[in-house]
Amino acid sequence: MDDFVKSEIYPLETLDLDWTQLRKAVAPLQQEVKAQGLWAAHLGHELGGPGFGQVKLGLMNEIIGKVIFAPLVFGNAAPDSGNSEILAIAGTPDQKKRWLEPLLAGEMMSAFALTEPDNAGADPTRLSTTAVRDGDDWVINGRKWFISNASIADFFIAMVVTDPDAERHRRASQIIIPADTPGVHILRDIPTIEHDHIRPNWYGYHAEMVFENVRVPVDSVLGQPGDGFLIAQKRLGPGRIHHCMRWMGQARRAFDMMCERATYRYSHGSLLADKQTVRTWIADSAAEMQAAKLMTLHAAWMIDQHGVRAARKEIAYIKYYGAKVLHDVIDRAIQTHGSLGFSSDLPLESMYRAARGARIYDGPDEVHRDTVARLVLRDYTPPVDEIPTEHVPTRRAEAQRRFAELLETV
């Protein structure tokens, strides 16, 4: 996989291809991946995937994450990978035949419409896009934004409110919406730190869109009405593992560039490799990447052994720690290259811009830190009379009572 990614996919990032040209370029590469039994590796045997499990898939994603087009070539690009998983979990036989099968075959693209401009994405219980039952249809109205790949999607899975009076985690449902349905309007692809120059219909952009009196049949809902949050949690857990391992691939690529630079760049009387500061950057980066990788693999192992819910704390660890490691390693690599690293003559500057989004994807760092703290604190209770468990005078008095006979003999 590593040789294939470097020799066949790396070159694509240097070319200015439009979406049609890119699809033509990756088509033969996708066939090679399928021939090697590596296509859609996030899926189990029952869906035509190899059923590798999260640990092996994590190691694979470390390789795939080195270049933006690799997930597309390997059939596990977000948001398609997550959408295929929830279609597999919650889809009816008819939904799977119409949407899942072509998605798995690479014949369709999809998008997941969750985030809204007027509501915090970290709190999806505040969604305002609605789906109202009207006879045999759902009528959908609302505005979404930062919807990845919306401009090139063949269909959307939209998170919408179907019962505004229900308990907060039962208000929403997930509904499949074909992209050509009347009332689906893509307003724009949003310029970002990562994508400051927008071109029409391009892979990896994030769109603002409106659903205006969009009608879809009632059987377009995934699972049962109100299951939206339950289904979303099944989608997000493994997806965060994949994100974090891909970040490790990006960090490794930046690390390799930094180390290579140190071997030949001469400054102030010696090579950069002989400078203590640069050696510190290399050592810290190597240790941090190893720590993040092992944390991610442990979270993957937890999912394989005990399921996504049991790994909530481990997933939250790596979401914010992995994002920090990614940023710091790329930042050091840029600093090592000086003006060359700041320029577009190396991929470091685009990697750096993309890395900033890692602290927001799948929820901001602050939410995941709070999750970790809450889960950790569940294992603790207040001490009796609020005297610390390790309070030395209290412990000494207890020890004196316990060993009174011994102390008296002495």
Side-chain angles (χ1 to χ4, degrees), residues 68-210:
I68 186 174
F69 300 133
L72 182 64
V73 172
F74 280 82
N76 64 354
D80 291 342
S81 57
N83 287 344
S84 64
E85 288 177 318
I86 59 176
L87 281 166
I89 292 169
T92 65
D94 288 342
Q95 289 171 341
K96 291 177 182 179
K97 184 170 183 62
R98 182 177 179 186
W99 305 112
L100 179 59
E101 291 181 11
L103 188 63
L104 295 181
E107 298 167 358
M108 280 189 175
M109 303 288 290
S110 67
F112 188 69
L114 170 64
T115 308
E116 298 177 350
D118 297 326
N119 298 298
D123 184 9
T125 61
R126 296 177 58 83
L127 291 174
S128 57
T129 299
T130 59
V132 177
R133 182 76 179 265
D134 182 24
D136 293 332
D137 290 338
W138 292 106
V139 180
I140 302 166
N141 284 280
R143 182 181 295 261
K144 301 284 188 178
W145 79 336
F146 278 86
I147 309 306
S148 301
N149 283 348
S151 297
I152 58 174
D154 297 290
F155 70 94
F156 301 90
I157 295 177
M159 191 88 153
V160 295
V161 176
T162 50
D163 186 355
D165 298 324
E167 184 271 325
R168 60 197 295 258
H169 285 98
R170 296 293 301 172
R171 296 173 66 240
S173 304
Q174 294 189 24
I175 295 179
I176 302 171
I177 304 173
D180 58 1
T181 306
V184 175
H185 304 299
I186 307 297
L187 302 183
R188 58 170 179 151
D189 281 315
I190 303 169
T192 65
I193 293 175
E194 182 179 3
H195 302 122
D196 54 341
H197 298 294
I198 296 295
R199 50 184 172 176
N201 302 324
W202 181 239
Y203 173 71
Y205 285 172
H206 315 293
E208 182 175 6
M209 60 184 299
V210 168

Side-chain angles (χ1 to χ4, degrees), residues 72-395:
L72 182 64
V73 172
F74 280 82
N76 64 354
D80 291 342
S81 57
N83 287 344
S84 64
E85 288 177 318
I86 59 176
L87 281 166
I89 292 169
T92 65
D94 288 342
Q95 289 171 341
K96 291 177 182 179
K97 184 170 183 62
R98 182 177 179 186
W99 305 112
L100 179 59
E101 291 181 11
L103 188 63
L104 295 181
E107 298 167 358
M108 280 189 175
M109 303 288 290
S110 67
F112 188 69
L114 170 64
T115 308
E116 298 177 350
D118 297 326
N119 298 298
D123 184 9
T125 61
R126 296 177 58 83
L127 291 174
S128 57
T129 299
T130 59
V132 177
R133 182 76 179 265
D134 182 24
D136 293 332
D137 290 338
W138 292 106
V139 180
I140 302 166
N141 284 280
R143 182 181 295 261
K144 301 284 188 178
W145 79 336
F146 278 86
I147 309 306
S148 301
N149 283 348
S151 297
I152 58 174
D154 297 290
F155 70 94
F156 301 90
I157 295 177
M159 191 88 153
V160 295
V161 176
T162 50
D163 186 355
D165 298 324
E167 184 271 325
R168 60 197 295 258
H169 285 98
R170 296 293 301 172
R171 296 173 66 240
S173 304
Q174 294 189 24
I175 295 179
I176 302 171
I177 304 173
D180 58 1
T181 306
V184 175
H185 304 299
I186 307 297
L187 302 183
R188 58 170 179 151
D189 281 315
I190 303 169
T192 65
I193 293 175
E194 182 179 3
H195 302 122
D196 54 341
H197 298 294
I198 296 295
R199 50 184 172 176
N201 302 324
W202 181 239
Y203 173 71
Y205 285 172
H206 315 293
E208 182 175 6
M209 60 184 299
V210 168
F211 296 120
E212 184 178 10
N213 294 322
V214 173
R215 283 184 172 268
V216 295
V218 292
D219 60 4
S220 299
V221 69
L222 282 169
Q224 298 298 318
D227 285 350
F229 288 98
L230 177 65
I231 296 171
Q233 287 306 309
K234 294 180 181 295
R235 180 185 192 275
L236 290 174
R240 287 167 178 158
I241 294 282
H242 307 161
H243 270 149
C244 292
M245 288 308 293
R246 287 173 184 170
W247 296 341
M248 291 304 96
Q250 284 279 296
R252 169 59 63 175
R253 192 175 177 188
F255 180 78
D256 289 343
M257 284 187 269
M258 175 169 59
C259 292
E260 180 186 73
R261 179 70 163 179
T263 65
Y264 70 87
R265 187 63 168 180
Y266 194 89
S267 177
H268 291 84
S270 65
L271 291 171
L272 294 182
D274 296 326
K275 309 292 186 186
Q276 185 176 7
T277 296
V278 175
R279 286 177 179 242
T280 298
W281 290 344
I282 291 171
D284 287 350
S285 297
E288 291 164 7
M289 289 191 303
Q290 181 73 349
K293 178 176 180 176
L294 293 176
M295 288 170 67
T296 305
L297 290 175
H298 181 247
W301 178 84
M302 285 286 291
I303 292 176
D304 284 342
Q305 298 297 315
H306 306 291
V308 173
R309 186 168 183 79
R312 286 179 62 202
K313 182 170 62 177
E314 287 74 15
I315 292 170
Y317 283 154
I318 61 173
K319 178 59 182 66
Y320 68 83
Y321 185 76
K324 181 179 186 302
V325 171
L326 172 67
H327 171 274
D328 291 351
V329 173
I330 297 174
D331 185 73
R332 293 166 188 149
I334 290 174
Q335 198 72 7
T336 303
H337 284 83
S339 56
L340 178 60
F342 190 70
S343 77
S344 294
D345 285 357
L346 287 179
L348 287 169
E349 62 85 21
S350 63
M351 292 164 63
Y352 189 74
R353 287 185 282 110
R356 186 59 185 85
R359 294 183 56 202
I360 300 174
Y361 299 150
D362 296 325
D365 287 359
E366 293 76 13
V367 169
H368 295 289
R369 282 189 169 95
D370 185 67
T371 296
V372 168
R374 284 189 293 105
L375 293 174
V376 168
L377 286 171
R378 286 180 183 178
D379 295 331
Y380 295 86
T381 56
V384 177
D385 297 329
E386 297 188 357
I387 298 173
T389 303
E390 295 286 352
H391 188 242
V392 173
T394 303
R395 291 170 56 212

